[in-house]
Amino acid sequence: MKPFPIPVRARYSCSKCPAYCCSYPEIEVTPRDIERLGKRFELSYREAEERFTKYDSKEKVRLLRHKKDTVFATVCTFLDLEKRRCTVYESRPGVCRAYPDSKHCGYYDFLRFERAHQADPEFIALT
Ligand code: SF4
Ligand code: SF4
């Protein structure tokens, strides 16, 4: 018999974070992710691929495009810069769904450390 799942209490709070994870420049997308995004915007696979992703020739993968941000240098093209929320939440790529895959978020841990260190609960890390 499978053990009863133990509830994991998240040690991070996305509501207190300016979407730090969405500033990561190498968010990899799969063909399935591109297809899903295409459906969301009623675009063909090629159109979605061209509009929302770019090719990383070094790693030979496709990444989500970025745009300029006022908090971080750049963020994912799908982030709402005011609300700091994903605008394609239901259609977001697999890696976004999976992250963080534990009760800790490394970005949030860093923010929390800096906020405590600088005695500034509102501190936002600029990258
Ligand atoms: S960096 Fe962590 S805490 Fe911030 S939005 Fe992403 S998952 Fe949530
Ligand atoms: S698709 Fe959404 S969750 Fe994923 S990086 Fe972009 S804004 Fe963040």
PDB file of all heavy atoms in Angstrom, residues 5 9 13 29 37 41 47 62 75 77 94 117:
ATOM      1  N   PRO A   5       0.107  10.384   1.595  1.00  0.00           N
ATOM      2  CA  PRO A   5       0.976  11.528   1.305  1.00  0.00           C
ATOM      3  C   PRO A   5       1.022  12.536   2.458  1.00  0.00           C
ATOM      4  O   PRO A   5      -0.013  12.904   3.008  1.00  0.00           O
ATOM      5  CB  PRO A   5       0.355  12.169   0.057  1.00  0.00           C
ATOM      6  CG  PRO A   5      -1.011  11.613  -0.044  1.00  0.00           C
ATOM      7  CD  PRO A   5      -1.053  10.314   0.704  1.00  0.00           C
ATOM      8  N   ARG A   9       4.403  21.726   3.263  1.00  0.00           N
ATOM      9  CA  ARG A   9       4.090  23.141   3.420  1.00  0.00           C
ATOM     10  C   ARG A   9       5.146  23.981   2.705  1.00  0.00           C
ATOM     11  O   ARG A   9       6.324  23.890   3.010  1.00  0.00           O
ATOM     12  CB  ARG A   9       4.047  23.488   4.895  1.00  0.00           C
ATOM     13  CG  ARG A   9       3.182  24.734   5.070  1.00  0.00           C
ATOM     14  CD  ARG A   9       3.398  25.388   6.362  1.00  0.00           C
ATOM     15  NE  ARG A   9       2.195  25.217   7.160  1.00  0.00           N
ATOM     16  CZ  ARG A   9       2.167  25.517   8.431  1.00  0.00           C
ATOM     17  NH1 ARG A   9       3.239  25.916   9.045  1.00  0.00           N
ATOM     18  NH2 ARG A   9       1.056  25.383   9.095  1.00  0.00           N
ATOM     19  N   SER A  13       6.509  32.263  -0.806  1.00  0.00           N
ATOM     20  CA  SER A  13       5.233  32.904  -1.047  1.00  0.00           C
ATOM     21  C   SER A  13       5.309  33.721  -2.330  1.00  0.00           C
ATOM     22  O   SER A  13       5.941  34.784  -2.382  1.00  0.00           O
ATOM     23  CB  SER A  13       4.892  33.811   0.140  1.00  0.00           C
ATOM     24  OG  SER A  13       3.759  34.579  -0.188  1.00  0.00           O
ATOM     25  N   VAL A  29      11.579  25.529 -23.681  1.00  0.00           N
ATOM     26  CA  VAL A  29      10.245  25.080 -24.086  1.00  0.00           C
ATOM     27  C   VAL A  29      10.349  23.883 -25.029  1.00  0.00           C
ATOM     28  O   VAL A  29      11.266  23.787 -25.835  1.00  0.00           O
ATOM     29  CB  VAL A  29       9.413  26.197 -24.769  1.00  0.00           C
ATOM     30  CG1 VAL A  29       8.899  27.191 -23.755  1.00  0.00           C
ATOM     31  CG2 VAL A  29      10.209  26.919 -25.827  1.00  0.00           C
ATOM     32  N   LEU A  37       0.881  26.928 -26.512  1.00  0.00           N
ATOM     33  CA  LEU A  37       0.867  28.392 -26.605  1.00  0.00           C
ATOM     34  C   LEU A  37       0.223  28.844 -27.918  1.00  0.00           C
ATOM     35  O   LEU A  37      -0.512  29.833 -27.957  1.00  0.00           O
ATOM     36  CB  LEU A  37       2.289  28.953 -26.485  1.00  0.00           C
ATOM     37  CG  LEU A  37       2.881  28.902 -25.064  1.00  0.00           C
ATOM     38  CD1 LEU A  37       4.382  29.162 -25.089  1.00  0.00           C
ATOM     39  CD2 LEU A  37       2.182  29.900 -24.146  1.00  0.00           C
ATOM     40  N   PHE A  41      -3.257  31.270 -28.433  1.00  0.00           N
ATOM     41  CA  PHE A  41      -3.323  32.532 -29.182  1.00  0.00           C
ATOM     42  C   PHE A  41      -3.843  32.336 -30.614  1.00  0.00           C
ATOM     43  O   PHE A  41      -3.738  33.242 -31.441  1.00  0.00           O
ATOM     44  CB  PHE A  41      -1.935  33.191 -29.223  1.00  0.00           C
ATOM     45  CG  PHE A  41      -1.501  33.708 -27.885  1.00  0.00           C
ATOM     46  CD1 PHE A  41      -0.689  32.948 -27.059  1.00  0.00           C
ATOM     47  CD2 PHE A  41      -1.935  34.943 -27.430  1.00  0.00           C
ATOM     48  CE1 PHE A  41      -0.290  33.424 -25.806  1.00  0.00           C
ATOM     49  CE2 PHE A  41      -1.545  35.434 -26.187  1.00  0.00           C
ATOM     50  CZ  PHE A  41      -0.725  34.666 -25.371  1.00  0.00           C
ATOM     51  N   GLU A  47       4.194  29.993 -36.177  1.00  0.00           N
ATOM     52  CA  GLU A  47       3.984  31.385 -35.729  1.00  0.00           C
ATOM     53  C   GLU A  47       4.275  31.534 -34.239  1.00  0.00           C
ATOM     54  O   GLU A  47       4.937  32.487 -33.819  1.00  0.00           O
ATOM     55  CB  GLU A  47       2.531  31.826 -36.012  1.00  0.00           C
ATOM     56  CG  GLU A  47       2.250  32.091 -37.476  1.00  0.00           C
ATOM     57  CD  GLU A  47       0.755  32.261 -37.753  1.00  0.00           C
ATOM     58  OE1 GLU A  47      -0.083  31.625 -37.054  1.00  0.00           O
ATOM     59  OE2 GLU A  47       0.427  33.013 -38.677  1.00  0.00           O
ATOM     60  N   ARG A  62      15.069  25.560 -27.548  1.00  0.00           N
ATOM     61  CA  ARG A  62      14.313  26.804 -27.708  1.00  0.00           C
ATOM     62  C   ARG A  62      13.962  27.343 -26.333  1.00  0.00           C
ATOM     63  O   ARG A  62      13.599  26.597 -25.425  1.00  0.00           O
ATOM     64  CB  ARG A  62      13.045  26.561 -28.539  1.00  0.00           C
ATOM     65  CG  ARG A  62      13.343  26.146 -29.960  1.00  0.00           C
ATOM     66  CD  ARG A  62      12.256  26.570 -30.926  1.00  0.00           C
ATOM     67  NE  ARG A  62      12.317  27.979 -31.250  1.00  0.00           N
ATOM     68  CZ  ARG A  62      13.005  28.492 -32.282  1.00  0.00           C
ATOM     69  NH1 ARG A  62      13.677  27.719 -33.095  1.00  0.00           N
ATOM     70  NH2 ARG A  62      13.001  29.803 -32.503  1.00  0.00           N
ATOM     71  N   VAL A  75      12.503  39.998 -18.284  1.00  0.00           N
ATOM     72  CA  VAL A  75      11.656  38.894 -17.795  1.00  0.00           C
ATOM     73  C   VAL A  75      10.993  38.225 -18.995  1.00  0.00           C
ATOM     74  O   VAL A  75      10.984  38.773 -20.109  1.00  0.00           O
ATOM     75  CB  VAL A  75      10.541  39.380 -16.832  1.00  0.00           C
ATOM     76  CG1 VAL A  75      11.097  39.745 -15.471  1.00  0.00           C
ATOM     77  CG2 VAL A  75       9.759  40.525 -17.441  1.00  0.00           C
ATOM     78  N   THR A  77       8.496  37.090 -21.712  1.00  0.00           N
ATOM     79  CA  THR A  77       7.565  37.890 -22.504  1.00  0.00           C
ATOM     80  C   THR A  77       6.113  37.797 -22.006  1.00  0.00           C
ATOM     81  O   THR A  77       5.308  38.686 -22.255  1.00  0.00           O
ATOM     82  CB  THR A  77       7.665  37.473 -23.983  1.00  0.00           C
ATOM     83  OG1 THR A  77       6.931  38.372 -24.765  1.00  0.00           O
ATOM     84  CG2 THR A  77       7.171  36.052 -24.238  1.00  0.00           C
ATOM     85  N   GLY A  94       5.889  23.497 -19.450  1.00  0.00           N
ATOM     86  CA  GLY A  94       6.051  22.457 -18.437  1.00  0.00           C
ATOM     87  C   GLY A  94       7.018  22.842 -17.331  1.00  0.00           C
ATOM     88  O   GLY A  94       6.746  22.573 -16.154  1.00  0.00           O
ATOM     89  N   HIS A 117      18.702  40.554   5.812  1.00  0.00           N
ATOM     90  CA  HIS A 117      20.035  41.131   5.901  1.00  0.00           C
ATOM     91  C   HIS A 117      19.996  42.652   5.798  1.00  0.00           C
ATOM     92  O   HIS A 117      20.706  43.355   6.498  1.00  0.00           O
ATOM     93  CB  HIS A 117      20.865  40.545   4.751  1.00  0.00           C
ATOM     94  CG  HIS A 117      22.332  40.706   4.910  1.00  0.00           C
ATOM     95  ND1 HIS A 117      23.036  40.101   5.930  1.00  0.00           N
ATOM     96  CD2 HIS A 117      23.234  41.399   4.183  1.00  0.00           C
ATOM     97  CE1 HIS A 117      24.309  40.419   5.829  1.00  0.00           C
ATOM     98  NE2 HIS A 117      24.458  41.206   4.780  1.00  0.00           N
TER      99      HIS A 117
END
